[in-house]
Every structure is written in structure tokens, then in C-alpha cells.
Amino acid sequence: MRNIPSVDLSDFLSGDASRKQKFIKEIGEAYEEIGFVALRGHFLSDELTENLYKEVKNFFDLPDEIKQSYEIEGIGGQRGYTSFGKESAKGKKQGDLKEFWHFGQEVVGNDKLKAEYPNNVMVKEVPNFNKTGMEAYKMLEKTAIYVLRALALYTGLEETYFDKYVINGNSILRPIYYPPIIGEPKGAVRAAAHGDINLITLLMGSSASGLEVQNKKGKWIPVTSLPEQLVVNVGDMLERLTNNKLRSTIHRVVNPPREEWGKPRYSIPFFTHPISEMKLNCLPECVTETRPKVFDDITAGEFLNNRLRELGLLK
């Protein structure tokens, strides 16, 4: 496979049983094979995408001292700003060549969860930053719910199996800024090889190339998608839940050629997380004689906290 498969969510939403089944089969088989798809027919409009990138650029153009005033200690970077080089991939000592912001869930109708999650951080210097970010958050969350419904059916579950875990879940929208490279990186890259922590990730089109995924043969494949597509991949939580049936594929963001070091890169992934109490125990539907259970039982909250420590975001 030279590139990731392309699928159309409107097939799933069409009301046509054969088109719906076509989408379920296509995305399920793609996630067994490579763990990534390019998704058309989602709920994020071109206008909202354009507006969010404008606001994100306005924020990251702020002076460092202003951005750092929005860096909140003690919450593992779950909300607000995380400064350049603080996050590293699991097992890596070098920090990634990036800085980022986190928008999180705005809980409705559940006081317990509302108290559990940190509040979103409001940026006064960029008036439309938070409003636009949360509009995109809701459209990406809606898209994620329908993708997970298709995957529930693919794995033999009730269609709405994931709804109760993802609605009001601990999902994160992360605008990322990779500044121009001004000196020899000395082994550091924009994002070292890693798997995502969560159930699924939805990536809005980035402003420069660099994303690569590793196929089953260990070869790195550049990910390309059309402007109207989202790149959607399986995370470690879903791989664990499905007992390796659906693959969380290792991916990275490589540094550009030296002649392009002066160009910045922007990227906006949406990390779909469930509520912390969700059990990630391997589904009985995914455990067979030929696929024995390979993961210990754990909750989503425990798994997330373990990984945040490995990434250097929690002490």
C-alpha cells in the first residue's frame, strides 16, 4: 500500500443500507491493514477550517511571554499552552520541535465530569480564538461519533456502543505550531515516531508536508490528503480495546529538506478520548483462539495518566 485509503462518511449517513455497509467494510478493513484513512463527507466546513487556521496563526504569532502566561502548571498540559520542546515521544529524550494549545471538553448535563476536567483557558489577545476553536471541536467530535459507530458495527457491537463514553468524553483539540528550524536539530524532529493515546484521531489538513505512517513492512509512507479531507487514524486505546484487530499505526512528522527549514508548519489534530471510567479491557468479540487476549485490563483514565508521564507532561 503506497498511500492511505479514502472513504466517504456520507455513505454511512446516506440512509442507504448498502452504502452504509460499504463504508463500514472500507474503514474497518483499512484500519486492520494500515490504521489510517482520508475521510470525506465530515461535518467540518471549509469556512470553519479557514477561520480556525487564521486564529491559530494569530495566537502563535503572539510574543513568547504572552503565550507562556497561558501555560498552566500541574495539569499535564491538558488545557492552554505548552511551550516549545516540552513534549517528547514515548522513549525519546529529545523534545519535539513544536509548541501547542489544548482546547478541551465543555461538559453538558454532568456535574461530576465538569468538576473532573480542567476549565478551558481564555485568550484575551485573540478575541475569536476560543469561540472558533470550540466550534471546530464540536464538529470534529460529531464526526468522531459517527466514525466510531461504524467501527462498533464492524467489530460486532451495538452501533451506539461508544456514544456513552465519547459524549462528554475527555477529548482534546490541539493546534500545533512547528516553528521554522533555525539551527541543526541534532537528532530532534518535529514529532518523533509515536502512536496516539486515544480512541481515534481526526487531523485537519496541515499547512506543510511531513506526516508519514509506517506500514506493516516497516516502510514510511508520506500521508497526502485533499484539502476537504480529514486524516483519521486508530489510537492505542482502540487498538487495546479491539485486541490488536484495529491497528494503531506508528507515525511521525519529519523535518523538511534544509532548503525549507525557514517555513513554519501548522497542524490541528482532534484526539477523541472517552470518559476516564471507560474500561479498555479487550472486547470478547475480538478475542479468539487465533487472536488470544494480549493486553491487561485497564481504564481509559489510568492508561492516559501512564502515557502522559511517559511523554514528560506529567511528573
Side-chain angles (χ1 to χ4, degrees):
M1 182 177 290
R2 291 187 172 182
N3 209 337
I4 61 173
S6 178
V7 296
D8 192 338
L9 186 59
S10 62
D11 287 335
F12 187 78
L13 302 172
S14 66
D16 181 314
S18 61
R19 285 181 64 189
K20 183 175 181 177
Q21 189 56 46
K22 173 177 175 284
F23 179 84
I24 293 167
K25 182 174 184 290
E26 287 176 345
I27 196 169
E29 289 179 352
Y31 283 168
E32 286 199 45
E33 177 65 26
I34 189 70
F36 273 75
V37 297
L39 182 77
R40 308 185 303 280
H42 51 79
F43 296 102
L44 190 71
S45 69
D46 292 343
E47 180 183 11
L48 182 51
T49 299
E50 185 178 334
N51 288 343
L52 181 55
Y53 267 107
K54 181 179 72 174
E55 298 304 324
V56 164
K57 289 174 183 177
N58 288 341
F59 172 77
F60 286 115
D61 281 345
L62 293 172
D64 286 346
E65 59 269 24
I66 292 178
K67 290 185 288 188
Q68 287 164 4
S69 72
Y70 294 110
E71 194 157 17
I72 312 300
E73 293 297 324
I75 61 170
Q78 292 180 76
R79 301 291 186 274
Y81 178 68
T82 297
S83 53
F84 183 83
K86 276 203 172 176
E87 184 181 66
S88 58
K90 179 181 176 181
K92 296 286 185 180
K93 291 183 178 179
Q94 301 101 329
D96 289 342
L97 304 178
K98 68 188 181 193
E99 54 191 87
F100 54 88
W101 181 271
H102 275 166
F103 296 103
Q105 185 68 260
E106 293 182 343
V107 175
V108 176
N110 189 319
D111 291 341
K112 178 179 177 293
L113 279 179
K114 196 167 188 175
E116 179 182 325
Y117 298 154
N119 292 326
N120 277 310
V121 179
M122 304 301 293
V123 177
K124 60 179 182 291
E125 291 84 0
V126 187
N128 291 320
F129 179 66
N130 291 87
K131 177 177 179 290
T132 307
M134 290 312 299
E135 286 176 359
Y137 184 107
K138 291 302 178 186
M139 291 301 99
L140 290 163
E141 182 180 56
K142 185 177 179 180
T143 301
I145 287 168
Y146 282 102
V147 169
L148 287 168
R149 286 180 180 179
L151 297 177
L153 291 171
Y154 186 75
T155 51
L157 303 169
E158 288 290 328
E159 181 171 340
T160 57
Y161 175 86
F162 289 101
D163 285 25
K164 61 184 175 294
Y165 300 120
V166 174
I167 294 170
N168 280 336
N170 197 18
S171 297
I172 292 288
L173 180 64
R174 172 188 279 194
I176 306 172
Y177 175 52
Y178 303 93
I181 298 171
I182 57 175
E184 185 62 47
K186 298 179 181 177
V189 294
R190 283 181 160 172
H194 65 283
D196 292 340
I197 302 171
N198 43 290
L199 291 170
I200 57 173
T201 300
L202 292 77
L203 176 67
M204 299 169 60
S206 60
S207 66
S209 61
L211 177 62
E212 296 181 344
V213 304
Q214 192 174 45
N215 67 15
K216 286 182 176 180
K217 296 181 179 179
K219 181 179 178 182
W220 289 102
I221 302 171
V223 171
T224 57
S225 63
L226 298 174
E228 70 273 12
Q229 294 176 331
L230 300 173
V231 174
V232 186
N233 64 280
V234 176
D236 292 350
M237 287 185 182
L238 187 57
E239 179 179 73
R240 192 179 191 102
L241 188 71
T242 62
N243 197 34
N244 278 335
K245 179 181 176 69
L246 306 181
R247 298 183 59 222
S248 176
T249 304
I250 298 297
H251 53 285
R252 66 186 182 184
V253 180
V254 297
N255 297 335
R258 183 179 287 268
E259 62 269 20
E260 296 181 14
W261 280 8
K263 295 180 181 179
R265 183 181 192 270
Y266 298 87
S267 181
I268 309 178
F270 179 82
F271 299 115
T272 310
H273 281 267
I275 59 174
S276 298
E277 290 80 11
M278 181 184 183
K279 293 180 180 180
L280 299 180
N281 307 351
C282 297
L283 294 165
E285 292 83 356
C286 298
V287 178
T288 65
E289 287 186 11
T290 57
R291 191 191 296 274
K293 180 181 175 182
V294 293
F295 296 109
D296 294 332
D297 295 348
I298 195 170
T299 66
E302 291 166 341
F303 186 72
L304 174 62
N305 284 333
N306 289 344
R307 288 293 296 275
L308 290 176
R309 291 187 186 93
E310 291 170 347
L311 296 176
L313 293 175
L314 273 182
K315 305 301 180 186

